[in-house]
Amino acid sequence: VDRSFDFALDVVVREVDEHGPDRLALEDARGRLPNPGAAVRIRAPSGEILFERGQWPDREYAIPARPKTNRVKRNLASVRYVRRSNWIIGERVATSGDRVELALSLYHFASENAKVRSRFVVGVALGALVVLLIGLAAAARAFAPLRRATAVLRQVDTGSLGVRLPSRGTGDPIDLHAETLNSVLARIDAGFARLRAFSSDVAHELRTPLN
């Protein structure tokens, strides 16, 4: 905003230095100004107004421009400053000694800020949606081995204790979990095998004396 204002003020001062204040009164001078809606006032060293074009803004809507020698940062992008009703004003002394005063409406900057903010909000919303979808996809992929392991475990009963969970060989916690469950299933399978062998031996020993 300050750079745009400095450029516009340079243009007005150059017009005054080269052609005098009356040049700004011509209709074709509007095309050479960066902002055709700018308000311009030219005062003599005594303070008398020599030329005035456009409606000068009220003080409550005027924001002083930052001089080139003052590099103190300020937040002109704040909603408090850049409003459609606000103006930025400043002055500079021409070669003739006349003081050139310029006021630029912040309507254009406020409109641009509104567009940037709306695009920023839309961008953040789309970014959040993309992150959410990526997170859901990553979570689904991460938990897929657990879902497969659960499906395998549901098939286990006394007649299918030889079922084992697949191991991917990655050594991650999911693989360690599968290997632990496989060792438990192996011990249970071995226990049932010993129980079946014992039952068979008992049945055989009982059949002989009965016969």
Side-chain angles (χ1 to χ4, degrees):
V1 174
D2 283 313
R3 285 196 297 268
S4 298
F5 181 83
D6 287 338
F7 175 73
L9 189 55
D10 287 340
V11 171
V12 176
V13 171
R14 187 167 56 250
E15 287 290 326
V16 172
D17 286 337
E18 294 178 357
H19 307 288
D22 295 337
R23 180 63 176 267
L24 297 175
L26 300 177
E27 189 63 27
D28 64 344
R30 289 178 174 268
R32 288 192 295 276
L33 292 178
N35 190 336
V40 181
R41 286 194 310 203
I42 300 177
R43 294 180 182 270
S46 61
E48 177 189 359
I49 296 180
L50 302 177
F51 173 81
E52 186 173 11
R53 193 190 77 182
Q55 184 176 1
W56 199 257
D58 295 334
R59 180 171 298 180
E60 59 178 322
Y61 299 117
I63 301 174
R66 184 184 63 184
K68 289 185 177 181
T69 56
N70 182 6
R71 295 304 177 186
V72 178
K73 292 184 179 180
R74 61 177 179 173
N75 187 16
L76 265 182
S78 170
V79 179
R80 173 170 161 255
Y81 286 111
V82 183
R83 296 177 180 173
R84 298 174 188 269
S85 58
N86 284 354
W87 294 65
I88 183 169
I89 63 172
E91 62 181 40
R92 193 168 298 164
V93 178
T95 306
S96 61
D98 296 334
R99 190 166 72 248
V100 179
E101 300 176 349
L102 177 67
L104 285 183
S105 172
L106 293 179
Y107 182 89
H108 171 72
F109 297 104
S111 300
E112 290 297 321
N113 274 357
K115 290 180 182 178
V116 169
R117 288 191 182 94
S118 62
R119 291 172 183 173
F120 176 77
V121 170
V122 172
V124 168
L126 291 178
L129 179 61
V130 170
V131 170
L132 177 62
L133 293 177
I134 292 176
L136 291 176
R141 183 173 181 179
F143 285 103
L146 290 180
R147 288 195 297 271
R148 289 195 293 268
T150 302
V152 171
L153 290 176
R154 284 175 177 169
Q155 300 173 4
V156 174
D157 56 25
T158 55
S160 58
L161 291 174
V163 174
R164 296 293 181 267
L165 298 177
S167 178
R168 298 173 299 170
T170 58
D172 58 11
I174 295 179
D175 262 8
L176 294 176
H177 179 70
E179 292 171 2
T180 302
L181 286 177
N182 286 338
S183 64
V184 172
L185 289 175
R187 288 196 295 271
I188 295 175
D189 191 17
F192 269 89
R194 288 194 296 271
L195 183 59
R196 284 193 294 269
F198 175 75
S199 300
S200 178
D201 292 341
V202 169
H204 176 72
E205 295 297 335
L206 288 176
R207 279 198 300 271
T208 301
L210 290 175
N211 290 336

